[in-house]
Amino acid sequence: MSRTQTMAGIEYPTRPMIAVTAERLPAGGQAGFAYEPKFDGFRCLAYRGRDRVVLQSRQQRPLGRYFPEIVDAVARLDTSVVLDGELVLWREGRFDFTALQQRLHPAGSRAGVLAATLPASYVVFDVLALDHRDLRAQPYAARRAVLDDLLGRQLPDGLVPMPVATDPAVARVWLTEHSAAGIEGVVAKRLDQPYRPGGRTWCKVRTRLTAEAVVGGVLGSVTRPEALILGRHDARGRLRVAGRTGPLPAAARAELGALLLPAAAGEHPWPVAIPSSRFGQRPGELVDYLQVVPATVVEVDADTSFERDRWRHATRFLRVRADLQPNDVDPRTRTASAG
C-alpha cells in the first residue's frame, strides 16, 4: 500500500507513539498526567475507512487476517476512525501472551477456528482520527474525551476502553497488586501532549517481581558462570526450566563459581540442550549450556511475563539464598514492587 494513501483522514501507514522505560511514575507538573495499566499483548493500530478495516502492528505489518473478530468489531463502528490500542487474550484469569501468539497461525483457514476458540479483545487507549479529522495535534486529554464519547455511544463486542486514572495512587495499585493478572506495569502520559507518531515521550514503569529459583545450569563455565539457567518445580514436584538470568556481575560470578558443582552425566533432570522457546526466544533453536547439581537457590528480579512455568524475559540476579533448599522454593511465591 502506498504511503501517500489516506484512510479516515490520516496517512496510512503511521507509526505508533512509543513509551520509554522509567524508574518511577512521574507525577505533578503543570499539565498533570494520565495513567494506564500496561497489558501483555500486541500493539495495534486499527483503521476503519468507508469500506474496509485494516489492523496494523507496531512494525507496520498487517494483522487483520489473524484477528477477524476484531476486524468485524471495528467495522461495526458507525464512522471512519483510526484507533490505537493493544490486542490481548484473556484466559484462565489472566492475560495469556502465549495463547495470543498462537493466533498468528500461518494458515489462513485456521483464523476463524482460532477466533472462536481463543477470542481476542482490542483494548483501545487513543483515537488519532475521527470522521476524516486528524486529531493527532490535539492534547491527550482532548483525544481521550473523543474516544470516551465514541465508545460510550457504541461498544461492539471485542472492543474495550483502556482504564485510565489521573491519581498516582491508583497507578501504584495497578503496579503492585495486579501482576498476577498479567498487568506488566503502568504507562504515564502528559495530559497536554499531542500524539507524535514514532515519538518516545510517554513513559512506562514496569512491575518488578522478586522470586526464588534453583540453579540448574550455566552459560560460560561452572567456575566462572556468565549467566544462570533457572528452574522451578511444577505441581508434580518436577524441576522445570523456568528461564535464565542476564549477564552476571563479576562479584556474582566469583561467588557462584565457588558454590556450583558440575552434574554427573545422566543424573540431571534436564536435556543437554534446551529449546530456545523456554527463554522466550525464537522457537526451533537449541541452547547449549553446562549442567550443574541443582542444589543452589538464588533470588532474582523479574518482570511479570511469567506464564506456563517460565519467564519469557531474562531475569536479573539479586543474591544467593543460602538459607533455602531447592524444595523450599514455592512456585507461587513472587513479590511485586512498583518499579
Side-chain angles (χ1 to χ4, degrees):
M1 183 177 294
S2 170
R3 288 183 178 270
T4 60
Q5 187 167 350
T6 60
M7 184 181 294
I10 193 170
E11 185 176 329
Y12 176 87
T14 190
R15 294 175 298 158
M17 197 164 172
I18 305 299
V20 296
T21 301
E23 291 297 321
R24 55 179 54 87
L25 288 171
Q30 186 173 2
F33 286 87
Y35 306 100
E36 300 169 353
K38 186 180 186 305
F39 296 150
D40 196 5
F42 296 155
R43 185 71 176 276
C44 178
L45 293 174
Y47 302 79
R48 185 203 185 281
R50 178 179 302 174
D51 55 1
R52 62 179 173 145
V53 170
V54 174
L55 303 184
Q56 175 188 286
S57 74
R58 173 176 168 177
Q59 295 78 22
Q60 300 183 354
R61 298 189 181 100
L63 293 173
R65 79 182 187 95
Y66 304 114
F67 298 95
E69 75 276 31
I70 305 302
V71 171
D72 292 343
V74 175
R76 288 197 293 272
L77 296 173
D78 63 4
T79 184
S80 62
V81 68
V82 179
L83 302 171
D84 193 357
E86 198 88 7
L87 289 169
V88 299
L89 199 153
W90 182 263
R91 191 183 188 197
E92 298 179 356
R94 63 171 287 128
F95 294 105
D96 191 334
F97 187 81
T98 300
L100 186 67
Q101 287 182 308
Q102 295 174 15
R103 293 294 307 271
L104 304 181
H105 197 282
S109 60
R110 291 280 296 162
V113 174
L114 291 172
T117 57
L118 294 173
S121 298
Y122 185 39
V123 184
V124 186
F125 53 69
D126 216 326
V127 55
L128 313 189
L130 182 71
D131 195 22
H132 304 289
R133 292 183 294 117
D134 190 341
L135 305 178
R136 290 175 294 179
Q138 295 191 19
Y140 167 86
R143 299 195 313 274
R144 181 69 200 208
V146 171
L147 178 64
D148 289 344
D149 179 70
L150 172 67
L151 298 183
R153 290 186 288 109
Q154 48 187 326
L155 191 62
D157 288 344
L159 299 190
V160 181
M162 174 69 77
V164 63
T166 55
D167 185 348
V170 175
R172 283 191 287 271
V173 170
W174 286 334
L175 275 171
T176 59
E177 297 185 19
H178 295 280
S179 60
I183 294 180
E184 296 184 312
V186 168
V187 178
K189 304 175 180 180
R190 270 177 36 194
L191 292 169
D192 64 348
Q193 198 167 61
Y195 190 100
R196 298 188 177 97
R200 296 176 176 267
T201 46
W202 292 342
C203 67
K204 61 185 175 185
V205 178
R206 291 188 178 275
T207 299
R208 306 300 301 180
L209 303 170
T210 58
E212 288 81 39
V214 180
V215 181
V218 300
L219 302 179
S221 68
V222 176
T223 58
R224 193 76 179 175
E226 299 173 5
L228 305 177
I229 308 299
L230 305 174
R232 284 165 73 88
H233 294 97
D234 64 14
R236 299 181 181 178
R238 299 174 301 179
L239 186 66
R240 305 294 299 275
V241 177
R244 55 162 292 178
T245 68
L248 296 171
R253 296 184 186 192
E255 179 185 15
L256 287 159
L259 292 173
L260 301 176
L261 297 173
E267 295 187 5
H268 199 281
W270 298 345
V272 295
I274 299 172
S276 56
S277 59
R278 294 298 299 177
F279 306 122
Q281 301 171 4
R282 181 187 308 171
E285 300 177 358
L286 293 175
V287 176
D288 293 319
Y289 71 106
L290 297 178
Q291 296 178 341
V292 300
V293 177
T296 301
V297 177
V298 296
E299 184 176 352
V300 296
D301 177 27
D303 59 25
T304 61
S305 58
F306 187 84
E307 57 187 34
R308 313 218 174 161
D309 299 322
R310 65 177 177 86
W311 287 286
R312 292 203 317 271
H313 306 144
T315 64
R316 181 170 64 91
F317 170 82
L318 292 178
R319 56 178 174 156
V320 173
R321 291 297 304 268
D323 57 318
L324 296 179
Q325 297 295 317
N327 289 336
D328 296 329
V329 176
D330 187 342
R332 299 166 298 179
T333 302
R334 291 176 288 157
T335 303
S337 62

